[in-house]
Amino acid sequence: MSSLPQRVMAWFTALLQPATDGLPIRLGATRSLGAKVAASRVTGFDQPLVWVTVALLAWGLVMVYSASIAMPDNPRFAKYTPTYFLTRHVMWLAIASVAALLAFQVPLATWEKVAPWLFVVSLVLLIVVLIPQVGKVVYGARRWISFGPLSFQPSELAKFAVLLYAADYMVRKMEVKERFFRAVAPMGLAVAVVGLLLLAEPDMGAFMVIAVIAMGILFLGGVNARMFLLIAAVLLVAFALMIALSDWRRERIFAYLDPWSEKNALAKGYQLTHSLIAIGRGEIFGVGLGGSVEKLHWLPEAHTDFLLAVIGEEFGLVGVLCVIGLFLWLTRRMMHIGRQAIALDRVFAGLVAQGVAIWMGFQAFINMGVNLGALPTKGLTLPLMSYGGSAILVNLIAIAVVLRVDFENKQMMHGGRR
């Protein structure tokens, strides 16, 4: 039999053990239950990433309502109610939230298996949207497929599908990544096919985002610097030719270079000039929520492409800097999760997380640059904030996959399964 001091010491150790696991002492609780709860805390989702995403979504919801509330005063939107865009945005947020919860349940191994098939589905949808009477035409662009009261934009799915396919491709081609034609050419051909379909809509902005996602994943996947520079040069020449051979794209560039001229101010430079006026009116602290004047039929697409201009007018420079800071943090966090996965030898998961970071960061950068007059006008929305159901849906699914990467990282680091 053990001595009394030994028994007292054993009892004291057992009493302290639940507190060491970070659990409250509860009568009747077993040690196995405490271990499970502790493990669930250790391997839980990345809460800061979730809350920053929720903050962007909530702020975007408020701004979409603010930017669209006066639209029914315009005869073109006379049949809409003041809450028309708000209601649809809330509906898409609900659908996207459910889809994100389901996406979080899917292991990365499953995403890796379905990546080629999802890419094929996205190609089929990009072809279907070009069929007359099927694709919905808005402002001369055929980019949407209608499903009853809702419309879906296949180019948003294509961004996510190319991201998964590129990550899966780099994992499969890891042993030949130093050979250009065996490693890069097939991926380049796939992106070129997607690009041709997008340019037929036309949607050059989405093609730019997809090209940058693919390039980023190729670079992070280990393609050497010479190959990367060659790919970048080819893409720059391709985009330059697209602009040079298109009259209306050239006019956009000229309007960007001189938006205040008499010729451009009421034509191709109209959106840019009114965006700059809106941001200028906001000064440091803004005119207050709901106080924007430019959203009153002066600034076109204020609730979509130019939402940041309304934020700048109503919240001022402080509001714009807050939005920039949130997106910088979001991008940095997802890159960190990706690096952590690669360090754990989970290359596909790491490339996916970093690919989502490149996607969100680059698209936000382009949208902000356009709104601030630093880049030519381009039809790209502000991720997570602008009105647009397809974009919100796919963006939240992508972030849910990043959260799943982080969840599996933590499982591995604490002895769980891969």
Side-chain angles (χ1 to χ4, degrees):
M1 289 183 66
S2 59
S3 63
L4 182 60
Q6 288 176 326
R7 279 183 288 173
V8 171
M9 183 60 69
W11 173 82
F12 187 67
T13 303
L15 183 65
L16 287 179
Q17 187 62 47
T20 304
D21 289 342
L23 299 171
I25 299 171
R26 295 178 57 190
L27 295 175
T30 64
R31 183 176 176 81
S32 61
L33 178 62
K36 287 180 182 179
V37 176
S40 70
R41 288 187 176 185
V42 166
T43 59
F45 55 85
D46 191 317
Q47 291 193 25
L49 179 57
V50 171
W51 286 116
V52 169
T53 302
V54 169
L56 287 169
L57 291 171
W59 196 357
L61 178 65
V62 172
M63 296 313 302
V64 165
Y65 182 44
S66 176
S68 64
I69 190 172
M71 288 181 69
D73 295 338
N74 187 329
R76 195 166 139 232
F77 301 102
K79 64 179 181 178
Y80 296 157
T81 65
T83 59
Y84 175 82
F85 292 99
L86 173 68
T87 303
R88 292 172 70 87
H89 198 67
V90 169
M91 182 171 59
W92 271 112
L93 282 175
I95 294 170
S97 298
V98 173
L101 287 172
L102 294 175
F104 179 76
Q105 307 302 319
V106 180
L108 264 294
T110 303
W111 286 112
E112 189 170 5
K113 290 176 184 176
V114 303
W117 299 107
L118 190 62
F119 179 71
V120 171
V121 169
S122 70
L123 283 179
V124 171
L125 289 176
L126 287 174
I127 294 170
V128 169
V129 78
L130 296 175
I131 300 174
Q133 310 304 322
V134 176
K136 180 180 175 183
V137 179
V138 179
Y139 298 132
R142 193 184 299 274
R143 300 178 186 175
W144 293 267
I145 299 174
S146 295
F147 296 98
L150 302 177
S151 296
F152 182 75
Q153 193 170 353
S155 60
E156 294 296 334
L157 177 63
K159 294 172 188 176
F160 184 55
V162 167
L163 189 156
L164 292 176
Y165 179 71
D168 174 59
Y169 180 86
M170 285 309 297
V171 171
R172 288 187 285 110
K173 297 291 183 179
M174 196 64 71
E175 72 281 358
V176 293
K177 63 186 178 183
E178 295 296 329
R179 303 176 189 176
F180 180 80
F181 288 103
R182 289 187 62 186
V184 178
M187 185 66 214
L189 179 63
V191 173
V193 171
V194 173
L196 289 173
L197 292 172
L198 288 171
L199 291 174
E201 295 183 2
D203 193 351
M204 185 176 172
F207 181 31
M208 285 178 61
V209 173
I210 286 172
V212 169
I213 290 170
M215 277 187 61
I217 289 177
L218 287 173
F219 180 72
L220 294 169
V223 170
N224 66 45
R226 283 182 301 170
M227 288 187 192
F228 181 79
L229 291 174
L230 178 59
I231 297 167
V234 169
L235 282 174
L236 286 174
V237 171
F239 284 121
L241 287 174
M242 289 176 207
I243 294 169
L245 298 175
S246 171
D247 292 337
W248 61 273
R249 288 193 179 110
R250 285 202 311 273
E251 288 176 8
R252 276 191 174 182
I253 297 296
F254 294 144
Y256 160 71
L257 295 174
D258 188 14
W260 302 102
S261 69
E262 185 177 352
K263 176 184 176 182
N264 294 325
L266 296 176
K268 293 295 183 182
Y270 183 81
Q271 280 181 305
L272 175 56
T273 54
H274 282 277
S275 175
L276 294 175
I277 291 170
I279 292 171
R281 285 194 74 245
E283 297 183 351
I284 303 297
F285 298 104
V287 297
L289 180 61
S292 170
V293 171
E294 284 297 319
K295 70 184 181 185
L296 304 177
H297 320 305
W298 295 103
L299 177 61
E301 306 303 321
H303 61 306
T304 55
D305 300 352
F306 285 86
L307 190 70
L308 186 71
V310 180
I311 293 174
E313 187 175 1
E314 297 188 349
F315 290 93
L317 177 64
V318 173
V320 172
L321 290 177
C322 285
V323 173
I324 293 172
L326 287 171
F327 274 104
L328 280 173
W329 188 93
L330 191 78
T331 303
R332 180 179 174 276
R333 188 73 171 186
M334 291 191 288
M335 289 295 288
H336 170 74
I337 290 171
R339 286 196 302 269
Q340 196 174 55
I342 292 173
L344 292 168
D345 199 27
R346 304 178 63 238
V347 179
F348 173 78
L351 291 178
V352 167
Q354 293 183 329
V356 175
I358 292 170
W359 168 14
M360 299 289 174
F362 179 73
Q363 185 164 330
F365 171 77
I366 294 294
N367 179 273
M368 292 173 185
V370 167
N371 277 255
L372 297 171
L375 295 171
T377 304
K378 180 69 15 230
L380 285 173
T381 57
L382 188 60
L384 303 173
M385 298 189 77
S386 293
Y387 176 80
S390 307
I392 292 288
L393 174 64
V394 180
N395 287 346
L396 284 189
I397 290 174
I399 290 175
V401 173
V402 176
L403 288 168
R404 179 72 193 194
V405 173
D406 181 67
F407 176 78
E408 293 184 7
N409 286 349
K410 291 175 179 175
Q411 277 189 322
M412 282 195 68
M413 286 188 291
H414 293 85
R417 283 192 189 177
R418 184 169 176 166

